[in-house]
Amino acid sequence: DSRLFSKLYEGAKKMFTFGFEAKYLADSASDSSKVKRTLRHDNVIPLIARNGRHFRKSEEPKDKDYKKRWSIERIFARLKEMFGLARNRFVGIKKVTIHVFSCLIAYLIMYVM
């Protein structure tokens, strides 16, 4: 979402190096001029679905990579439904991180191996 974008994006910039023509794929919840301006400043291509507010038509970007976003959405849905990620009862970043990584490991064991 656009409200949490700055904090998450700054954290990602600290942890990762963005390559040439890096792309940011997001749904219409991230559709804001501030988000797009920040991404363009760092030479990241914003592939963000247009929100249909204020009588504008909603639409998805016409880039072939935008469709890859749905595979990630399916993984998160499975993590929430089958591996308990939606029922987080832990407090503190370390405990929540362990819970998320445990869900990811369970997913990998079940679907990849």
Side-chain angles (χ1 to χ4, degrees):
D1 298 277
S2 59
R3 292 177 292 140
L4 300 173
F5 170 78
S6 295
K7 188 174 184 177
L8 293 172
Y9 183 65
E10 290 304 318
K13 284 189 345 184
K14 289 178 185 174
M15 294 178 68
F16 302 102
T17 302
F18 299 144
F20 178 70
E21 293 188 3
K23 297 177 181 179
Y24 179 82
L25 285 61
D27 61 11
S28 61
S30 297
D31 182 22
S32 84
S33 55
K34 181 180 178 185
V35 169
K36 292 176 184 175
R37 191 171 36 250
T38 302
L39 292 168
R40 287 187 184 114
H41 178 267
D42 291 338
N43 294 319
V44 175
I45 302 167
L47 296 178
I48 301 172
R50 182 187 293 181
N51 191 321
R53 62 182 171 256
H54 304 298
F55 306 104
R56 290 187 344 190
K57 183 179 175 186
S58 297
E59 62 182 59
E60 293 182 352
K62 303 285 188 246
D63 190 284
K64 63 180 173 62
D65 288 333
Y66 188 77
K67 293 179 182 180
K68 294 177 183 178
R69 191 181 143 269
W70 297 110
S71 60
I72 300 300
E73 294 286 347
R74 280 194 308 273
I75 291 171
F76 278 118
R78 282 193 184 131
L79 289 172
K80 290 176 183 177
E81 292 170 12
M82 298 177 68
F83 299 104
L85 193 59
R87 297 177 303 276
N88 180 37
R89 293 189 176 102
F90 301 103
V91 177
I93 190 69
K94 288 183 181 180
K95 291 178 183 177
V96 172
T97 302
I98 290 170
H99 179 65
V100 170
F101 284 147
S102 299
C103 291
L104 286 168
I105 290 168
Y107 176 87
L108 291 171
I109 289 171
M110 186 166 188
Y111 289 104
V112 177
M113 295 183 158

